[in-house]
Amino acid sequence: MPEVGPTAVLPRRPLTVGELLDSAVLLLRAQGRLLLPLGVLLAVGEQLLLLPLRLAADLRGPTYWPDGWDQFVAYWLLLACGAGTEAVIVTLLGNPAARAAGAALLGRRSGVGELLRPRGARWGATLLLAVPVGILVVLGGLLGPLWFLAWAVFGSVAAVLVVDRLAGHLALPRATRLAVRAGGRAAWVRLLGYLGWWILRVGLALGGYFGLARLDLVDLADPATATVAAMTAWTAVNAVAYPALACLDAVVHLDNRMRTEGLDIRLSRSPGHLAEPVLLAADR
């Protein structure tokens, strides 16, 4: 039987919002050997991808805040693109996070080798779906408030693929349906998690950057050095935040299924080996 105490990664029962946030952190701690290095690689790639846009717009780190209204359009485009890359990264990290969460719900812990094993991982489908998710978030970002809706409804895409075992063309519709169930609880929790990590990321990135300046560890008067320092600061915080958000998506998805589909009841009545992933598969 899986753990049911307060230290369980994912108890087999519906959780409160606070418990969901705790479970996401516990899942990240349990799978940090894989998720954190992947987070570093993807966060570095994001910074390199956004660098040409920042240079073209003449926006300087670490805030990349425009100096005047003439830069506002470029700044808005940069924000939307950044939101899109975040959505792609969290979706990709959601693949191993969701598989690890599913295993935890079944009472076992996945090793790094298991999560890296291609068999059953559906990396190709995850990558193919991460791109349209990112595009939809970019379009929502360009339209302002719709960014919140686009971000909120696609948190379960990776879990639908690797836990629910649905076909790729069904993933986006099912993720949307799950997000709006129970008054949109899953969507609100995802937004809450993003907001919390956004505040933490901004504080740590700015604190780290200006801390370097205060300690005279680097010459931030040099534009090239300042650019590298800003990229490094954001990479460091995003490398932790993105896996944490992916873990939150994974536990919210399973909690949502327990609340609205009776997944916990199904598991308690299922005969045979609880380690079988087929027990988590959603009804077609």
Side-chain angles (χ1 to χ4, degrees), residues 63-221:
T63 61
Y64 303 104
W65 188 256
D67 294 327
W69 285 105
D70 57 322
Q71 293 181 305
F72 186 76
V73 173
Y75 174 72
W76 194 267
L77 176 61
L78 182 62
L79 281 181
C81 291
T85 57
E86 288 179 345
V88 170
I89 290 172
V90 173
T91 301
L92 293 176
L93 291 172
N95 180 305
R99 285 185 285 132
L105 186 63
L106 294 174
R108 63 184 181 85
R109 177 174 175 174
S110 298
V112 173
E114 178 184 348
L115 295 179
L116 289 176
R117 190 178 304 132
R119 183 180 178 182
R122 307 192 71 183
W123 279 111
T126 305
L127 180 60
L128 288 176
L129 282 174
V131 174
V133 166
I135 292 173
L136 290 171
V137 171
V138 170
L139 294 176
L142 292 175
L143 296 176
L146 286 182
W147 172 88
F148 297 100
L149 177 62
W151 176 267
V153 299
F154 297 129
S156 290
V157 168
V160 168
L161 284 174
V162 300
V163 175
D164 298 1
R165 312 300 299 174
L166 262 63
H169 70 280
L170 300 176
L172 287 175
R174 174 164 168 80
T176 303
R177 291 195 303 271
L178 286 170
V180 299
R181 286 180 182 175
R185 184 178 185 272
W188 284 113
V189 172
R190 193 179 199 223
L191 285 176
L192 176 64
Y194 183 89
L195 178 61
W197 275 104
W198 180 81
I199 294 172
L200 189 60
R201 287 157 59 196
V202 170
L204 291 176
L206 296 186
Y209 179 88
F210 291 114
L212 292 175
R214 187 175 184 85
L215 296 174
D216 293 325
L217 296 178
V218 294
D219 181 16
L220 296 182

Side-chain angles (χ1 to χ4, degrees), residues 47-61 64 71 74 78 223-228 230-231:
Q47 291 300 311
L48 294 176
L49 183 65
L50 294 177
L51 179 60
L53 293 177
R54 292 166 174 168
L55 294 177
D58 196 25
L59 296 172
R60 303 182 183 277
Y64 303 104
Q71 293 181 305
L78 182 62
T225 302
T227 297
V228 172
M231 292 174 62

